[in-house]
Amino acid sequence: MKRETFSSGLAVFFATLGSAVGLGNIWKFPYLTGQYGGGAFLAVYFLCILFVGLPVMLGEFYIGRKTRKNAVGALNQLKPGTSWKYIGIMGALSSYLIMFFYSCVAGWVYFYLFKAIKGDFAGITMAAAKTQFGEVIMGPLSPIVWQFIVMAVVASILAMGVKDGIEKITKTLMPLLFVLIIICDIRALTLPGAMEGINFLFQVDFSKLTAAAVLTALGLAFFKLSLGMGTMITYGSYFTQDNNLFGTATKVALSDTLVSLLAGIAIFPTVFSFGMEPSAGPGLLFMTIPLVFSQIPFGNVLLVAFFFLTSIAATTAMLSLVEVPLAYLNEERGVSRPKAAIINAVIIASIGILATLSVDKASLLGSYTFLGRGFFDWFDYISSNILLPVGGLLIAIFIGYIVKKEDIKREMSNNGKLNIDFVFNVYYFILRYVTPALLLIVFLNSIGIIKF
Ligand code: PFF
């Protein structure tokens, strides 16, 4: 059977952007930007994208498109019989670990969308918002049911294939996400006191730019752009042959950042105009947002729009996460796509329950901890702090030192059709000397060997 590819440059762009845009844009990026000095943090974030994100992303694109294989098969083809294939195996492992907790949070998002449609948030108070969130995450049955629904949706889309599943869905939903986010932005910006929120996001305060902020920016760039775990190898393997890899990487990184900023513009003016303190993570998404949106005219419509766009973001990111082990099972183990989709959904849903039942100390499995962390936190810690930076570092070393420079240049210039001499030389230098050093620092810091 002929291997599928995306059908056009636009399809490549939307699918890859769909992977990058996720929960990270909505509950991580805007808050961290505000907390660490706004414009100053953004400047550092852009440098991290330039020196670490783009080089690793391009490296992954190269590996995927050159071999047209899943992450394990791709590395095996480039260096047969060596241990490099473990990058792919590690990638599949990271994607499972991330999915265990990501599907749990995505389940809450779907549930909140359902509640927003039902009108559950009309006129709620702070205390009620807290109680509702508590009920949603404690369950124990409902969050598991929603996690299963999430996995059923993801598996159904993936089972339909690369073109009829991933491509069709991302091409329809990503533009819709932009429309919904802009509707939320317009409403937020026309609220009294909106400027205070904008100032929180866009102030330029270099005094908040600590070493911790710089490391955060680097980790964020990595997680945001879905790097270090074979996602971009797998998607790269579906790219069209004439796609300009440099162009796609740049467009995706810029559009992803734009989505994060638009999300911040929808969130902070609203939060500030109601005199609330912006909080991080789940608190922001599941308590502050319903609370403030419920107080503005047409707020319920906005809440539906907001949770719908968040569901889209989470779903398209999960498609790329699950595609890593799916493509492996399909191509290396001969399992059909629909069957591989079901197998992965079952694995993720059944182990993911451990995450869902351990989100809080009072949860059913909340008392099962090891070194102070429960299941949820361990899945997150091992994947984000260890496997992703190590995966990225190994990819940078593989591309910079193991593969022949001419081979990379030939692939990236589409066999000499694109004139990339200058950019390629700059890229190759950064990839060899700057990217690995920075990644090593982040990794050593995240496991506590060096401290800033
Ligand atoms: N980029 C996604 C986000 O920002 O939410 C998360 C993610 C997706 C990480 C895919 C890694 C990945 F392979």
Side-chain angles (χ1 to χ4, degrees), residues 19-20 22-25 98 102 223-226 229 231 317 320-321:
S19 169
L23 292 169
N25 302 59
I98 294 180
Y102 210 89
F223 184 80
K224 278 294 331 101
L225 297 180
S226 313
M229 47 163 292
T231 304
S320 70
L321 279 159

Side-chain angles (χ1 to χ4, degrees), residues 109-121 146 307:
V109 175
Y110 278 33
F111 197 1
Y112 263 67
L113 171 61
F114 178 68
K115 282 161 95 46
I117 293 172
K118 277 203 313 172
D120 278 5
F121 302 111
W146 283 101
F307 280 107

Side-chain angles (χ1 to χ4, degrees), residues 327-342:
Y328 167 76
L329 278 183
N330 181 226
E331 292 171 6
E332 305 294 310
R333 308 265 155 198
V335 184
S336 73
R337 261 195 91 88
K339 222 185 189 166
I342 295 171

Side-chain angles (χ1 to χ4, degrees), residues 61 127 137 145 345 382 385 451:
F61 285 173
I137 65 169
V145 171
I382 297 176
N385 293 31
K451 276 266 165 277

